[in-house]
């Protein structure tokens, strides 16, 4: 597992995260589902959810809402597991932590957590 592969995977994961965020903002549950592993664990201020419960919370954002992820950091635990953190600006400003796992060549989120930005 070389540095070039990690750089490529980092760029790919950031692109996938942004696509996941865009799909979520549109309320596109089918698109969101492709990013989430079947055994997903999701944690936020409202509790712990599985994939089905997470998808049930996917609703279109209010018109004019902005999803602007910033400050990505990706750490690889091994060739097929990465921990990603980032912040998000806008109406739903939050800090995110995602664990991505690659199975059969496809990256999916196996664990995710978000915390609202204080003062928002």
């Amino acid at each position: 597992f070389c540095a070039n592969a990690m750089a490529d995977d980092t760029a790919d994961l950031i692109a996938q995260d942004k696509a996941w965020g865009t799909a979520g903002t549109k309320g596109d549950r089918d698109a969101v589902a492709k990013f989430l592993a079947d055994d997903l664990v999701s944690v936020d201020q409202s509790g712990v959810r599985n994939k089905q419960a997470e998808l049930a919370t996917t609703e279109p954002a209010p018109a004019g809402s902005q999803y602007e992820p910033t400050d990505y950091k990706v750490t690889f635990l091994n060739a097929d597991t990465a921990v990603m953190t980032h912040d998000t600006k806008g109406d739903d400003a939050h800090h995110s932590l995602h664990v991505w796992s690659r199975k059969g060549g496809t990256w999916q989120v196996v664990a995710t957590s978000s915390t609202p930005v204080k003062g928002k």
Side-chain angles (χ1 to χ4, degrees):
F1 191 60
C2 69
N4 287 347
M6 282 194 292
D8 290 347
D9 285 334
T10 296
D12 182 40
L13 288 173
I14 291 171
Q16 288 196 53
D17 183 78
K18 289 178 178 179
W20 172 26
T22 298
T25 300
K26 291 178 181 174
D28 186 342
R29 291 182 185 174
D30 291 339
V32 169
K34 293 175 186 172
F35 295 102
L36 307 179
D38 289 341
D39 55 354
L40 173 82
V41 176
S42 175
V43 180
D44 67 12
Q45 66 274 18
S46 62
V48 179
R49 293 187 295 271
N50 64 13
K51 180 176 182 176
Q52 288 68 34
E54 181 70 15
L55 289 171
T57 69
T58 301
E59 297 289 336
S65 294
Q66 293 291 324
Y67 175 78
E68 188 182 339
T70 63
D71 302 320
Y72 277 98
K73 292 179 185 61
V74 179
T75 303
F76 287 88
L77 303 182
N78 57 50
D80 295 316
T81 309
V83 176
M84 171 187 284
T85 59
H86 68 83
D87 291 334
T88 305
K89 296 179 182 178
D91 302 319
D92 179 30
H94 60 275
H95 308 287
S96 292
L97 172 91
H98 312 305
V99 179
W100 291 84
S101 177
R102 180 167 40 197
K103 296 176 183 161
T106 301
W107 286 102
Q108 287 189 310
V109 176
V110 294
T112 183
S113 182
S114 67
T115 303
V117 172
K118 280 190 169 191
K120 295 284 176 184

